[in-house]
Amino acid sequence: MALRVGILGAGHMGTTHATLLARDERVKVTAVADTDAARAEALAPRVGAKAVASLEALLDARIEALFVTTPNTTHTAPVLAALAAGVHVFSEKPMATSLAEARQIREAAARGPALYQVGHNRRFAPAYKAAKARLADGSLRVTSAHIKMNRGELQQPPWVGDRAVTGGFLYESTVHLLDMACWLLGEVAWVQVVGGAHVYREPDDFSMLLGFASGIHAAFTSCAHSTWLFPFERVELFGAHAALVTEEMERVQFAPGLGKPVQTQEFGPLPIPEKWGYAEEDRLFVEAVLTRGTPPVTAEDGYRSVELVEACYRSLERGERVTLPLP
């Protein structure tokens, strides 16, 4: 019997996940809901599902798993409702846009029995997996890092510049590589942030210094109005006369030492769902549900990324270093 899945939110990410799930023979996309009925009605027949009017209707359709792909600030209520109903949940990032709501979801996920996974897709992108592998096998022992996560503008789509929808710029884009920093380098112990609102009505330009429990430090910059000049995201990891550099999810370059040839891995030709990690995160979520395994990105992982964003905003507002975990 195929896993019955519902999609809440028929925008870009809802369409991405629904399309991938419809190709998985272990899954039946049963129903799609969106506040814009026309969008749900357009997506549903493409994936062999029916369009319904609400979350309640999705749950009434006897779904076993729910994909929450609504705007950032609207994740908490449907996630809690689904978990309370015993429905497994895949939620797009961020887990929530406040520490209080993230705690609610973490606690609900811990109670079970339904599984919960956060959509931090970069963890499954081949470029970042290649970087992780270099660290895991000892090819590079990191001493410091430079990380960049920019956005070209906060104009398209129109809601991306509305903090009431996104929770703030750091939650919309930058949270991706804040999570990646933790995934690659470990627990963050403190942050020191400067920045300001230069183009938009919210803080849109950040310079962040991250101190890790391991002793590694990283300089992290994030600008919301940088144009889409390639690469808009980049990770540079430095060791003893060695370095690893990613350019978006297109390629990874590794310099293993002085006088040694640079090794390059190219991922540009891959289709977007594979290159950006969407295909693998969906596959592994389905696998975790069917086997009652552990989701590859847990509620604790999602909570830590929210906590780190909140720490960055607090440091910016207070003009001082903020230590983690937050009280």
Side-chain angles (χ1 to χ4, degrees), residues 9-11 32-43 51-53:
V32 177
D34 194 286
T35 54
D36 182 340
R39 289 200 302 191
E41 290 165 2
L43 175 59
V52 298

Side-chain angles (χ1 to χ4, degrees), residues 155-184:
Q155 300 175 15
Q156 297 297 328
W159 53 260
V160 80
D162 185 350
R163 197 168 185 176
V165 176
T166 66
F169 169 59
L170 293 185
Y171 277 117
E172 177 52 27
S173 297
T174 314
V175 68
H176 280 300
L177 286 204
L178 287 171
D179 174 73
M180 182 53 52
C182 297
W183 190 62
L184 292 174

Side-chain angles (χ1 to χ4, degrees), residues 41-287:
E41 290 165 2
L43 175 59
R46 291 173 52 188
V47 295
K50 65 178 180 179
V52 298
S54 65
L55 171 64
E56 292 73 23
L58 282 174
L59 297 177
D60 287 344
R62 297 185 297 111
I63 60 171
E64 298 167 276
L66 175 69
F67 274 64
V68 178
T69 54
T70 57
N72 296 350
T73 56
T74 64
H75 291 172
T76 303
V79 166
L80 292 176
L83 291 175
V87 173
H88 307 290
V89 174
F90 178 102
S91 173
E92 262 303 335
K93 66 79 199 163
M95 179 187 211
T97 54
S98 76
L99 210 54
E101 291 188 358
R103 286 194 191 101
Q104 286 182 280
I105 293 173
R106 182 175 65 170
E107 292 166 2
R111 288 193 294 269
L115 302 183
Y116 172 84
Q117 180 173 323
V118 188
H120 284 300
N121 63 291
R122 263 61 168 185
R123 294 187 180 207
F124 308 97
Y128 290 123
K129 288 173 64 179
K132 179 83 166 179
R134 295 285 190 185
L135 305 187
D137 68 13
S139 299
L140 179 66
R141 299 187 184 279
V142 179
T143 59
S144 65
H146 177 247
I147 302 170
K148 174 180 74 174
M149 181 61 184
N150 287 344
R151 186 178 170 90
E153 36 71 21
L154 295 181
Q155 300 175 15
Q156 297 297 328
W159 53 260
V160 80
D162 185 350
R163 197 168 185 176
V165 176
T166 66
F169 169 59
L170 293 185
Y171 277 117
E172 177 52 27
S173 297
T174 314
V175 68
H176 280 300
L177 286 204
L178 287 171
D179 174 73
M180 182 53 52
C182 297
W183 190 62
L184 292 174
L185 303 176
E187 182 181 352
V188 176
W190 56 266
V191 299
Q192 179 85 50
V193 179
V194 295
H198 298 142
V199 176
Y200 297 101
R201 294 180 179 179
E202 63 166 296
D204 55 22
D205 211 342
F206 296 81
S207 294
M208 300 170 277
L209 189 60
L210 310 182
F212 293 82
S214 64
I216 296 169
H217 60 274
F220 193 130
T221 59
S222 192
C223 178
H225 45 81
S226 64
T227 81
W228 293 108
L229 181 68
F230 178 88
F232 60 79
E233 67 183 74
R234 182 182 180 98
V235 174
E236 299 178 350
L237 305 177
F238 308 116
H241 304 120
L244 182 147
V245 176
T246 69
E247 294 183 331
E248 295 183 16
M249 285 156 281
E250 300 296 308
R251 70 182 59 88
V252 178
Q253 295 188 82
F254 177 52
L258 296 175
K260 297 180 180 179
V262 174
Q263 302 167 25
T264 301
Q265 294 173 275
E266 295 282 356
F267 302 102
L270 291 174
I272 290 287
E274 285 73 31
K275 181 165 56 179
W276 285 49
Y278 300 129
E280 185 169 339
E281 68 176 352
D282 286 2
R283 178 179 62 79
L284 292 177
F285 172 71
V286 171
E287 187 174 301

Side-chain angles (χ1 to χ4, degrees), residues 19-40:
T19 303
L20 288 168
L21 292 166
R23 299 173 187 164
D24 190 330
E25 62 184 14
R26 302 169 300 172
V27 173
K28 167 61 178 172
V29 181
T30 303
V32 177
D34 194 286
T35 54
D36 182 340
R39 289 200 302 191

